[in-house]
Amino acid sequence: MFSVPLGDGGARLRPLEPRHAAEFLAHIDRGREFIGRYVGLPDVIEDLESARAFLTSYAEKAAADTGRIYGIWTDGGLVGGVMFRTMDVEQGTAEAGCWLEPSAVGRGLVTEAIGVIVDWAVEERGIHRVEWMVSAANEASIAVARRLGMTKEGVLRESYLRRGERYDIEIWSVLAPEWRAARRGRG
């Protein structure tokens, strides 16, 4: 298994697998309300069986090359994750997503972790376009899109029903040539 360092505080990015179901459930329980403000993950992960089923679905996506999920660990504990919710290698598109529990916020972990997986998708899998769909109310996630050099393409008005409330969804993206140019500029 691979493990990629994130930042200088000992955080690591590595695959999040079905064998991590109990740790994943405990992590979601710690951040359930915080994570659930904009992300539906806490509504899907209710018990050990649903945690295992969710992670198994991503193992199946990885096997089919249609998605991936990775955990962010700090001090040996799972504190968040990043994913490709969808990935269509033939079309060259992927949709990235993320979540964090409160203890890991403000350290740049999501920005760095998304950078790692976008780099992999562009350079290893030939993905041309990475999308980021975010609630217009989620300022932290919008800030990640900006830091990653993504372009805001538009707003899907009241398109996301979450806990009985409708949210506008912003669509951001970065294209492979833009990603490579920005990476050279950072490098």
Side-chain angles (χ1 to χ4, degrees), residues 42-59:
D43 296 339
V44 175
I45 309 306
E46 299 175 332
D47 53 26
L48 187 58
E49 183 179 326
S50 59
R52 186 172 291 111
F54 183 82
L55 295 177
T56 298
S57 75
Y58 271 88

Side-chain angles (χ1 to χ4, degrees), residues 86-120:
T86 62
M87 193 166 75
D88 184 333
V89 175
E90 185 176 316
Q91 289 295 315
T93 61
E95 180 192 340
C98 69
W99 74 94
L100 276 179
E101 66 182 63
S103 68
V105 170
R107 298 173 52 187
L109 297 173
V110 164
T111 302
E112 191 168 351
I114 290 288
V116 169
I117 69 169
V118 169
D119 225 28
W120 170 82

Side-chain angles (χ1 to χ4, degrees), residues 91-174:
Q91 289 295 315
T93 61
E95 180 192 340
C98 69
W99 74 94
L100 276 179
E101 66 182 63
S103 68
V105 170
R107 298 173 52 187
L109 297 173
V110 164
T111 302
E112 191 168 351
I114 290 288
V116 169
I117 69 169
V118 169
D119 225 28
W120 170 82
V122 167
E123 300 305 336
E124 299 294 325
R125 301 303 300 126
I127 296 296
H128 177 73
R129 173 188 168 85
V130 176
E131 298 175 348
W132 187 259
M133 306 213 18
V134 56
S135 167
N138 189 342
E139 295 176 17
S141 191
I142 291 168
V144 169
R146 286 188 178 111
R147 284 192 297 273
L148 290 169
M150 293 184 170
T151 299
K152 181 179 174 180
E153 296 181 337
V155 177
L156 301 173
R157 299 177 311 132
E158 297 186 6
S159 67
Y160 182 58
L161 181 61
R162 174 92 185 100
R163 295 182 176 176
E165 189 173 333
R166 291 213 163 267
Y167 290 90
D168 291 350
I169 296 296
E170 294 186 4
I171 303 170
W172 293 72
S173 73
V174 64

